[in-house]
Amino acid sequence: EELNSKAVARVYCGYKHTLALTKSGLVFVWGEGFSGQLGLGVGTLQSDVPLHLEGLNDEEIVAAALGEEHTLLVDTLGRLYSFGDGKYGKLCASRISGFVNQMRPFVVRRFCNFEVKMAACGCNHSLVFVRPRASRLVNGISRSVDLSPISRQSDFGGDLLDVFDDP
């Protein structure tokens, strides 16, 4: 697909890469992507023209954040996708996989029990704002929506912060 035939809602800029988000939730990327921040795989490490980013589970992307060499995306279901330079844990992944470059977008499992509301990137860090997933009724009993088994403890040993507790 080509970007010039789409209505662009927002444009985001990283250090040497750019992302355009269309009004229909499609993502287009271009620039330098040697650490994987374009999300296009090892076959396309840079591009002078916008290229459609695929592999996002057919979900509409509603927000993005770009760091120096990493990218975060948020979809309509409140899931976080991450890709690019994995140093310093900025991809929000586990200790085991979080410190290597990720060349394609992946859903960050540590937030599956939360709805990601917003993400921000700095040069070598990320900030993710979340809310606990809404409850739903199952056989008349309120159950939390659980997209993946995950504990309240982070992969880095600390507890997840409850910054959105209602009074």
Side-chain angles (χ1 to χ4, degrees), residues 51-74:
L51 298 174
H52 180 232
L53 179 61
E54 297 177 352
L56 300 172
N57 299 325
D58 296 324
E59 288 300 326
E60 179 182 337
I61 300 301
V62 294
L66 279 62
E68 182 175 1
E69 294 182 348
H70 70 294
T71 303
L72 301 178
L73 304 173
V74 180

PDB file of all heavy atoms in Angstrom, residues 51-74:
ATOM      1  N   LEU A  51       6.890   2.873   4.018  1.00  0.00           N
ATOM      2  CA  LEU A  51       6.514   1.492   3.750  1.00  0.00           C
ATOM      3  C   LEU A  51       5.472   1.057   4.769  1.00  0.00           C
ATOM      4  O   LEU A  51       5.577   1.393   5.955  1.00  0.00           O
ATOM      5  CB  LEU A  51       7.732   0.571   3.832  1.00  0.00           C
ATOM      6  CG  LEU A  51       8.850   0.852   2.830  1.00  0.00           C
ATOM      7  CD1 LEU A  51      10.052  -0.046   3.117  1.00  0.00           C
ATOM      8  CD2 LEU A  51       8.355   0.652   1.406  1.00  0.00           C
ATOM      9  N   HIS A  52       4.481   0.308   4.307  1.00  0.00           N
ATOM     10  CA  HIS A  52       3.415  -0.163   5.186  1.00  0.00           C
ATOM     11  C   HIS A  52       3.967  -1.213   6.158  1.00  0.00           C
ATOM     12  O   HIS A  52       4.601  -2.179   5.745  1.00  0.00           O
ATOM     13  CB  HIS A  52       2.274  -0.758   4.353  1.00  0.00           C
ATOM     14  CG  HIS A  52       1.144  -1.258   5.166  1.00  0.00           C
ATOM     15  ND1 HIS A  52       0.638  -2.520   5.032  1.00  0.00           N
ATOM     16  CD2 HIS A  52       0.418  -0.674   6.153  1.00  0.00           C
ATOM     17  CE1 HIS A  52      -0.353  -2.699   5.884  1.00  0.00           C
ATOM     18  NE2 HIS A  52      -0.500  -1.597   6.580  1.00  0.00           N
ATOM     19  N   LEU A  53       3.737  -1.006   7.459  1.00  0.00           N
ATOM     20  CA  LEU A  53       4.163  -1.956   8.482  1.00  0.00           C
ATOM     21  C   LEU A  53       3.062  -2.974   8.691  1.00  0.00           C
ATOM     22  O   LEU A  53       1.942  -2.624   9.061  1.00  0.00           O
ATOM     23  CB  LEU A  53       4.469  -1.225   9.788  1.00  0.00           C
ATOM     24  CG  LEU A  53       4.897  -2.091  10.964  1.00  0.00           C
ATOM     25  CD1 LEU A  53       6.185  -2.846  10.646  1.00  0.00           C
ATOM     26  CD2 LEU A  53       5.072  -1.233  12.200  1.00  0.00           C
ATOM     27  N   GLU A  54       3.385  -4.235   8.466  1.00  0.00           N
ATOM     28  CA  GLU A  54       2.413  -5.307   8.621  1.00  0.00           C
ATOM     29  C   GLU A  54       2.750  -6.131   9.855  1.00  0.00           C
ATOM     30  O   GLU A  54       3.744  -5.883  10.524  1.00  0.00           O
ATOM     31  CB  GLU A  54       2.397  -6.176   7.363  1.00  0.00           C
ATOM     32  CG  GLU A  54       1.964  -5.390   6.134  1.00  0.00           C
ATOM     33  CD  GLU A  54       2.006  -6.207   4.859  1.00  0.00           C
ATOM     34  OE1 GLU A  54       2.507  -7.349   4.892  1.00  0.00           O
ATOM     35  OE2 GLU A  54       1.547  -5.702   3.835  1.00  0.00           O
ATOM     36  N   GLY A  55       1.909  -7.115  10.166  1.00  0.00           N
ATOM     37  CA  GLY A  55       2.172  -7.989  11.291  1.00  0.00           C
ATOM     38  C   GLY A  55       1.662  -7.455  12.613  1.00  0.00           C
ATOM     39  O   GLY A  55       2.209  -7.744  13.668  1.00  0.00           O
ATOM     40  N   LEU A  56       0.580  -6.673  12.572  1.00  0.00           N
ATOM     41  CA  LEU A  56       0.024  -6.077  13.789  1.00  0.00           C
ATOM     42  C   LEU A  56      -1.314  -6.697  14.151  1.00  0.00           C
ATOM     43  O   LEU A  56      -2.189  -6.033  14.704  1.00  0.00           O
ATOM     44  CB  LEU A  56      -0.109  -4.561  13.608  1.00  0.00           C
ATOM     45  CG  LEU A  56       1.208  -3.838  13.330  1.00  0.00           C
ATOM     46  CD1 LEU A  56       0.965  -2.389  12.963  1.00  0.00           C
ATOM     47  CD2 LEU A  56       2.139  -3.943  14.520  1.00  0.00           C
ATOM     48  N   ASN A  57      -1.495  -7.971  13.850  1.00  0.00           N
ATOM     49  CA  ASN A  57      -2.705  -8.722  14.196  1.00  0.00           C
ATOM     50  C   ASN A  57      -3.981  -8.082  13.649  1.00  0.00           C
ATOM     51  O   ASN A  57      -5.042  -8.209  14.243  1.00  0.00           O
ATOM     52  CB  ASN A  57      -2.817  -8.885  15.716  1.00  0.00           C
ATOM     53  CG  ASN A  57      -1.649  -9.634  16.289  1.00  0.00           C
ATOM     54  OD1 ASN A  57      -1.122 -10.545  15.663  1.00  0.00           O
ATOM     55  ND2 ASN A  57      -1.222  -9.252  17.477  1.00  0.00           N
ATOM     56  N   ASP A  58      -3.900  -7.367  12.557  1.00  0.00           N
ATOM     57  CA  ASP A  58      -5.050  -6.727  11.916  1.00  0.00           C
ATOM     58  C   ASP A  58      -5.783  -5.758  12.841  1.00  0.00           C
ATOM     59  O   ASP A  58      -6.964  -5.486  12.652  1.00  0.00           O
ATOM     60  CB  ASP A  58      -6.031  -7.770  11.366  1.00  0.00           C
ATOM     61  CG  ASP A  58      -5.407  -8.596  10.256  1.00  0.00           C
ATOM     62  OD1 ASP A  58      -4.621  -8.022   9.482  1.00  0.00           O
ATOM     63  OD2 ASP A  58      -5.703  -9.798  10.171  1.00  0.00           O
ATOM     64  N   GLU A  59      -5.118  -5.274  13.876  1.00  0.00           N
ATOM     65  CA  GLU A  59      -5.727  -4.296  14.775  1.00  0.00           C
ATOM     66  C   GLU A  59      -5.359  -2.887  14.346  1.00  0.00           C
ATOM     67  O   GLU A  59      -4.257  -2.640  13.851  1.00  0.00           O
ATOM     68  CB  GLU A  59      -5.274  -4.525  16.220  1.00  0.00           C
ATOM     69  CG  GLU A  59      -5.868  -5.746  16.852  1.00  0.00           C
ATOM     70  CD  GLU A  59      -7.388  -5.713  16.910  1.00  0.00           C
ATOM     71  OE1 GLU A  59      -7.979  -4.624  17.082  1.00  0.00           O
ATOM     72  OE2 GLU A  59      -7.993  -6.791  16.782  1.00  0.00           O
ATOM     73  N   GLU A  60      -6.291  -1.989  14.562  1.00  0.00           N
ATOM     74  CA  GLU A  60      -6.061  -0.580  14.270  1.00  0.00           C
ATOM     75  C   GLU A  60      -5.121  -0.010  15.331  1.00  0.00           C
ATOM     76  O   GLU A  60      -5.331  -0.168  16.525  1.00  0.00           O
ATOM     77  CB  GLU A  60      -7.386   0.170  14.296  1.00  0.00           C
ATOM     78  CG  GLU A  60      -7.273   1.638  14.033  1.00  0.00           C
ATOM     79  CD  GLU A  60      -8.627   2.320  14.125  1.00  0.00           C
ATOM     80  OE1 GLU A  60      -9.661   1.658  13.953  1.00  0.00           O
ATOM     81  OE2 GLU A  60      -8.627   3.532  14.387  1.00  0.00           O
ATOM     82  N   ILE A  61      -4.082   0.661  14.884  1.00  0.00           N
ATOM     83  CA  ILE A  61      -3.140   1.316  15.789  1.00  0.00           C
ATOM     84  C   ILE A  61      -3.663   2.722  16.071  1.00  0.00           C
ATOM     85  O   ILE A  61      -4.051   3.442  15.154  1.00  0.00           O
ATOM     86  CB  ILE A  61      -1.726   1.358  15.184  1.00  0.00           C
ATOM     87  CG1 ILE A  61      -1.219  -0.067  14.913  1.00  0.00           C
ATOM     88  CG2 ILE A  61      -0.756   2.119  16.094  1.00  0.00           C
ATOM     89  CD1 ILE A  61      -1.146  -0.970  16.120  1.00  0.00           C
ATOM     90  N   VAL A  62      -3.674   3.104  17.342  1.00  0.00           N
ATOM     91  CA  VAL A  62      -4.245   4.398  17.723  1.00  0.00           C
ATOM     92  C   VAL A  62      -3.197   5.373  18.250  1.00  0.00           C
ATOM     93  O   VAL A  62      -3.466   6.574  18.354  1.00  0.00           O
ATOM     94  CB  VAL A  62      -5.371   4.240  18.759  1.00  0.00           C
ATOM     95  CG1 VAL A  62      -6.553   3.499  18.142  1.00  0.00           C
ATOM     96  CG2 VAL A  62      -4.887   3.534  20.012  1.00  0.00           C
ATOM     97  N   ALA A  63      -2.008   4.885  18.596  1.00  0.00           N
ATOM     98  CA  ALA A  63      -0.967   5.776  19.109  1.00  0.00           C
ATOM     99  C   ALA A  63       0.400   5.145  18.882  1.00  0.00           C
ATOM    100  O   ALA A  63       0.521   3.925  18.747  1.00  0.00           O
ATOM    101  CB  ALA A  63      -1.175   6.052  20.593  1.00  0.00           C
ATOM    102  N   ALA A  64       1.415   5.980  18.854  1.00  0.00           N
ATOM    103  CA  ALA A  64       2.785   5.515  18.672  1.00  0.00           C
ATOM    104  C   ALA A  64       3.728   6.411  19.471  1.00  0.00           C
ATOM    105  O   ALA A  64       3.374   7.533  19.849  1.00  0.00           O
ATOM    106  CB  ALA A  64       3.163   5.535  17.187  1.00  0.00           C
ATOM    107  N   ALA A  65       4.911   5.897  19.708  1.00  0.00           N
ATOM    108  CA  ALA A  65       5.984   6.669  20.325  1.00  0.00           C
ATOM    109  C   ALA A  65       7.291   6.168  19.736  1.00  0.00           C
ATOM    110  O   ALA A  65       7.461   4.961  19.542  1.00  0.00           O
ATOM    111  CB  ALA A  65       5.970   6.503  21.840  1.00  0.00           C
ATOM    112  N   LEU A  66       8.194   7.078  19.425  1.00  0.00           N
ATOM    113  CA  LEU A  66       9.466   6.716  18.819  1.00  0.00           C
ATOM    114  C   LEU A  66      10.609   7.237  19.667  1.00  0.00           C
ATOM    115  O   LEU A  66      10.620   8.413  20.040  1.00  0.00           O
ATOM    116  CB  LEU A  66       9.596   7.290  17.406  1.00  0.00           C
ATOM    117  CG  LEU A  66       8.914   6.532  16.270  1.00  0.00           C
ATOM    118  CD1 LEU A  66       7.421   6.451  16.447  1.00  0.00           C
ATOM    119  CD2 LEU A  66       9.270   7.154  14.938  1.00  0.00           C
ATOM    120  N   GLY A  67      11.554   6.342  19.981  1.00  0.00           N
ATOM    121  CA  GLY A  67      12.768   6.729  20.677  1.00  0.00           C
ATOM    122  C   GLY A  67      13.890   6.879  19.678  1.00  0.00           C
ATOM    123  O   GLY A  67      13.667   6.956  18.473  1.00  0.00           O
ATOM    124  N   GLU A  68      15.097   6.883  20.201  1.00  0.00           N
ATOM    125  CA  GLU A  68      16.242   7.015  19.306  1.00  0.00           C
ATOM    126  C   GLU A  68      16.306   5.847  18.326  1.00  0.00           C
ATOM    127  O   GLU A  68      16.451   6.049  17.126  1.00  0.00           O
ATOM    128  CB  GLU A  68      17.538   7.091  20.108  1.00  0.00           C
ATOM    129  CG  GLU A  68      18.758   7.269  19.230  1.00  0.00           C
ATOM    130  CD  GLU A  68      20.032   7.466  20.016  1.00  0.00           C
ATOM    131  OE1 GLU A  68      19.997   7.453  21.252  1.00  0.00           O
ATOM    132  OE2 GLU A  68      21.081   7.634  19.376  1.00  0.00           O
ATOM    133  N   GLU A  69      16.180   4.622  18.848  1.00  0.00           N
ATOM    134  CA  GLU A  69      16.258   3.438  17.988  1.00  0.00           C
ATOM    135  C   GLU A  69      15.228   2.382  18.391  1.00  0.00           C
ATOM    136  O   GLU A  69      15.487   1.185  18.273  1.00  0.00           O
ATOM    137  CB  GLU A  69      17.670   2.854  18.016  1.00  0.00           C
ATOM    138  CG  GLU A  69      18.704   3.775  17.402  1.00  0.00           C
ATOM    139  CD  GLU A  69      20.103   3.178  17.387  1.00  0.00           C
ATOM    140  OE1 GLU A  69      20.339   2.145  18.057  1.00  0.00           O
ATOM    141  OE2 GLU A  69      20.952   3.739  16.685  1.00  0.00           O
ATOM    142  N   HIS A  70      14.082   2.822  18.895  1.00  0.00           N
ATOM    143  CA  HIS A  70      13.016   1.873  19.210  1.00  0.00           C
ATOM    144  C   HIS A  70      11.665   2.527  18.968  1.00  0.00           C
ATOM    145  O   HIS A  70      11.559   3.745  18.877  1.00  0.00           O
ATOM    146  CB  HIS A  70      13.141   1.319  20.633  1.00  0.00           C
ATOM    147  CG  HIS A  70      12.862   2.280  21.737  1.00  0.00           C
ATOM    148  ND1 HIS A  70      13.656   3.382  22.002  1.00  0.00           N
ATOM    149  CD2 HIS A  70      11.895   2.294  22.674  1.00  0.00           C
ATOM    150  CE1 HIS A  70      13.175   4.024  23.052  1.00  0.00           C
ATOM    151  NE2 HIS A  70      12.098   3.387  23.477  1.00  0.00           N
ATOM    152  N   THR A  71      10.636   1.669  18.832  1.00  0.00           N
ATOM    153  CA  THR A  71       9.295   2.136  18.511  1.00  0.00           C
ATOM    154  C   THR A  71       8.286   1.376  19.361  1.00  0.00           C
ATOM    155  O   THR A  71       8.415   0.176  19.564  1.00  0.00           O
ATOM    156  CB  THR A  71       8.992   1.897  17.014  1.00  0.00           C
ATOM    157  OG1 THR A  71       9.991   2.550  16.224  1.00  0.00           O
ATOM    158  CG2 THR A  71       7.614   2.414  16.628  1.00  0.00           C
ATOM    159  N   LEU A  72       7.271   2.097  19.854  1.00  0.00           N
ATOM    160  CA  LEU A  72       6.162   1.507  20.589  1.00  0.00           C
ATOM    161  C   LEU A  72       4.867   1.872  19.884  1.00  0.00           C
ATOM    162  O   LEU A  72       4.720   3.002  19.406  1.00  0.00           O
ATOM    163  CB  LEU A  72       6.111   2.037  22.028  1.00  0.00           C
ATOM    164  CG  LEU A  72       7.331   1.818  22.902  1.00  0.00           C
ATOM    165  CD1 LEU A  72       7.112   2.460  24.268  1.00  0.00           C
ATOM    166  CD2 LEU A  72       7.651   0.346  23.048  1.00  0.00           C
ATOM    167  N   LEU A  73       3.929   0.937  19.818  1.00  0.00           N
ATOM    168  CA  LEU A  73       2.620   1.164  19.216  1.00  0.00           C
ATOM    169  C   LEU A  73       1.539   0.699  20.180  1.00  0.00           C
ATOM    170  O   LEU A  73       1.734  -0.272  20.900  1.00  0.00           O
ATOM    171  CB  LEU A  73       2.470   0.386  17.908  1.00  0.00           C
ATOM    172  CG  LEU A  73       3.510   0.613  16.817  1.00  0.00           C
ATOM    173  CD1 LEU A  73       3.292  -0.361  15.663  1.00  0.00           C
ATOM    174  CD2 LEU A  73       3.461   2.046  16.324  1.00  0.00           C
ATOM    175  N   VAL A  74       0.386   1.356  20.164  1.00  0.00           N
ATOM    176  CA  VAL A  74      -0.763   0.966  20.977  1.00  0.00           C
ATOM    177  C   VAL A  74      -1.938   0.729  20.037  1.00  0.00           C
ATOM    178  O   VAL A  74      -2.218   1.559  19.174  1.00  0.00           O
ATOM    179  CB  VAL A  74      -1.125   2.059  22.005  1.00  0.00           C
ATOM    180  CG1 VAL A  74      -2.324   1.645  22.842  1.00  0.00           C
ATOM    181  CG2 VAL A  74       0.074   2.389  22.894  1.00  0.00           C
TER     182      VAL A  74
END
